[in-house]
């Protein structure tokens, strides 16, 4: 169980907080419903009592009125001003009904004179403490009566009424229940807010402790990841160095067969990197990783020569057909050797490229090469680059069967071989970077001379 928590602490803490929130929310809901009902009853009592007091105050302020309604009468005008002065926050108002039960005074009478034709005397309401409804015009004689009336247009209202004259003129105060229902909800919410606040610290404490735990866990995990990444990077670097050392050692061992210093493969490695970098803009497959692989793979291009007898490799004169056939077997022998490694390490891109370079670096652009006879773009780019680099170094270097050629002769041979022996694009790149290649050759020749002197 602890392991599951540590594996996913955020989900665990979030679930715990969610459960607490559900429990507190459910409790708050049930308490709210019970309390809201009691508060609503209390609000009814408060509003009805308030309406009675407002009505009583207006009755005293209005004083005596003529028995019959007269809009021009000073007393009726004073009554109009009084009902206009009464303000209710919930949409209620006070009005005066004339002796016939029509509205005589109303806060909106000037804007809507049609209100004078509205008769409310026969409208029913249920007075407080009674169960049967009575007409508004039949109540409030001598004392204020309050209750709840149901109007078809805008629903239930709290009303209070009292007669003002013997002829039946009466004051009517009413407020819509819908306008005050939100007030009762606010009262209920206010009472229950403290209940919610009492539960909030529990959630806050849980969430805070959870956040602190997650931060601590995240910091520890981040440190562990950083240490792991550092160790992986260090180990990867060591593996790359080891692989490079092994490849270099194998390539140099093969190169010693016909080059006593073993510098040929090192120069080939540097040449191919320079040429590949120049071709990068025109070949999407060339990337930093691709060039790093080519740097090592090109060193293994002649590893198959370990299978060619020394008498053939070091023969100073012209080779017989059998001897040349032995020489021509070294690409296949080298590729077979590398494929054995490839099968052991499965899909290693470096070994894959090394197989291509070893097998195809003697193929020709026109298809007249060996051992397969590929032509043009069918020859892997890595092998096409290595082919130019290999011929450049071979022509520039002395061998037991030939002297070294001048840079001008080498350039002429490679340029004239464009489109026949070599890929024209690779030759163009060679001609652009020839100065760099010659500098590499000169640098390694100096090292080679120093090695021989030693």
């Amino acid at each position: 169980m602890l392991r599951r928590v540590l594996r996913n602490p955020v989900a665990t803490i979030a679930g715990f907080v969610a459960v607490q929130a559900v429990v507190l929310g459910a409790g708050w809901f049930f308490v709210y419903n019970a309390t809201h009902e009691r508060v609503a009853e209390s609000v009814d009592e408060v509003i009805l009592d308030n309406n009675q007091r407002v009505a009583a105050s207006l009755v005293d302020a209005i004083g005596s009125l003529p028995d019959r309604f007269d809009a021009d009468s000073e007393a009726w005008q004073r009554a109009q001003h009084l009902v206009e002065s009464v303000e209710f926050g919930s949409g209620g108002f006070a009005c005066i009904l004339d002796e016939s039960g029509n509205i005589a005074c109303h806060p909106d009478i000037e804007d809507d004179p049609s209100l004078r034709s509205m008769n409310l005397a026969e409208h029913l309401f249920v007075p407080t403490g009674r169960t049967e409804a009575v007409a508004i015009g039949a109540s409030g004689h001598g004392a204020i009566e309050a209750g709840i009336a149901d109007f078809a247009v805008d629903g239930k209202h709290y009303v209070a009424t009292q007669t003002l004259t013997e002829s039946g003129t009466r004051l009517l105060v009413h407020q819509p229940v819908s306008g005050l229902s939100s007030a009762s909800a606010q009262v209920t919410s206010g009472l229950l807010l403290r209940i919610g606040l009492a539960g909030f610290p529990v959630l806050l404490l849980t969430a805070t402790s959870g956040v602190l735990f997650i931060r601590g866990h995240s910091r520890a995990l981040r440190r562990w990841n950083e240490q792991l990444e550092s160790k992986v990077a260090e180990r990867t670097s060591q593996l790359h160095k080891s692989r490079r050392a092994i490849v270099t050692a194998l390539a140099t061992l093969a190169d010693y067969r016909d080059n006593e210093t073993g510098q040929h493969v090192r120069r080939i490695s540097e040449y191919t990197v320079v040429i590949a970098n120049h071709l990068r803009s025109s070949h999407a497959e060339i990337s930093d990783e691709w060039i790093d692989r080519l740097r090592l793979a090109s060193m293994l291009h002649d590893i198959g020569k370990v299978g060619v007898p020394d008498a053939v490799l070091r023969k100073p004169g012209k080779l017989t057909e059998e001897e040349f056939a032995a020489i021509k077997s070294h690409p296949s022998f080298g590729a077979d050797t590398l494929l054995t490694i490839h099968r052991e390490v499965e899909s290693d891109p470096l070994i894959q490229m090394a197989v291509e370079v070893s097998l195809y670096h003697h193929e020709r652009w026109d298809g007249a090469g060996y051992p397969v006879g590929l032509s043009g773009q069918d020859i892997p780019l890595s092998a096409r680059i290595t082919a130019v680099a290999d011929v450049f170094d071979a022509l520039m270097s002395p061998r037991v069967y030939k002297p070294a050629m001048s840079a001008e002769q080498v350039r002429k041979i490679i340029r004239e071989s464009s489109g026949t022996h070599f890929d024209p694009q690779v030759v163009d790149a060679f001609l652009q970077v020839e100065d760099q290649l010659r500098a590499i050759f000169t640098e390694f020749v100096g090292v080679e001379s120093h090695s021989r002197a030693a």
Side-chain angles (χ1 to χ4, degrees), residues 86-257:
V86 178
E87 294 183 359
F88 294 90
S90 58
F93 59 90
C95 65
I96 299 176
L97 307 183
D98 63 16
E99 64 278 4
S100 300
N102 293 327
I103 296 177
C105 298
H106 190 283
D108 299 327
I109 202 75
E110 292 185 4
D111 297 328
D112 188 6
S114 64
L115 290 172
R116 294 188 187 278
S117 62
M118 184 177 295
N119 192 296
L120 299 178
E122 299 301 322
H123 203 86
L124 301 177
F125 81 109
V126 180
T128 302
R130 298 168 61 178
T131 58
E132 296 181 358
V134 298
I136 291 176
S139 62
H141 295 287
I144 297 174
E145 283 195 80
I148 298 178
D150 191 357
F151 291 91
V153 177
D154 48 3
K156 293 183 178 180
H157 285 64
Y158 298 102
V159 299
T161 185
Q162 181 178 346
T163 57
L164 299 175
T165 63
E166 293 182 359
S167 62
T169 300
R170 67 177 52 252
L171 173 70
L172 180 64
V173 174
H174 63 119
Q175 293 177 270
V177 172
S178 60
L180 293 165
S181 60
S182 60
S184 63
Q186 290 176 359
V187 171
T188 305
S189 300
L191 292 174
L192 296 179
L193 180 60
R194 294 180 181 178
I195 298 175
L197 291 176
F200 179 75
V202 177
L203 294 176
L204 183 62
L205 178 61
T206 302
T208 301
S209 60
V211 169
L212 293 176
F213 172 79
I214 292 172
R215 285 184 177 178
H217 179 76
S218 298
R219 284 195 294 268
L221 186 61
R222 186 164 52 251
R223 287 194 299 269
W224 184 80
N225 283 338
E226 290 172 354
Q227 293 172 358
L228 182 61
E229 288 176 359
S230 177
K231 290 180 180 179
V232 170
E234 181 181 356
R235 181 59 177 162
T236 302
S237 177
Q238 291 174 350
L239 289 174
H240 285 167
K241 290 179 181 178
S242 299
R243 184 165 72 166
R244 181 178 180 83
I246 292 172
V247 170
T248 302
L250 288 174
T252 303
L253 180 63
D255 198 36
Y256 270 124
R257 298 294 310 285

Side-chain angles (χ1 to χ4, degrees), residues 3 5 16 28 35 91 114 124 178 198 204 206 214 222 225 227 247-248 257-258 269 333 336 343 371 375 379 405 444:
R3 290 182 178 178
V5 172
F16 186 58
W28 192 91
T35 306
S114 64
L124 301 177
S178 60
L204 183 62
T206 302
I214 292 172
R222 186 164 52 251
N225 283 338
Q227 293 172 358
V247 170
T248 302
R257 298 294 310 285
D258 62 345
S269 174
F333 185 81
D336 289 341
R343 284 191 289 270
S375 63
I379 306 170
M405 293 185 180
F444 275 89

Side-chain angles (χ1 to χ4, degrees), residues 364-433:
R364 291 171 54 102
W365 185 258
D366 59 9
Y370 64 89
V372 180
L374 295 182
S375 63
Q377 300 287 342
D378 291 337
I379 306 170
L381 179 61
S382 57
R384 303 199 308 264
I385 293 174
T386 303
V388 173
D390 186 31
V391 170
F392 168 75
D393 194 76
L395 295 177
M396 292 284 290
S397 305
R399 291 289 187 268
V400 293
Y401 52 83
K402 73 166 189 71
M405 293 185 180
S406 68
E408 291 73 16
Q409 290 176 300
V410 173
R411 183 189 312 111
K412 182 175 182 295
I413 291 173
I414 293 178
R415 182 190 294 115
E416 291 176 351
S417 299
S418 176
T420 54
H421 190 165
F422 303 123
D423 178 352
Q425 283 190 307
V426 177
V427 172
D428 290 343
F430 163 80
L431 295 174
Q432 294 294 322
V433 299

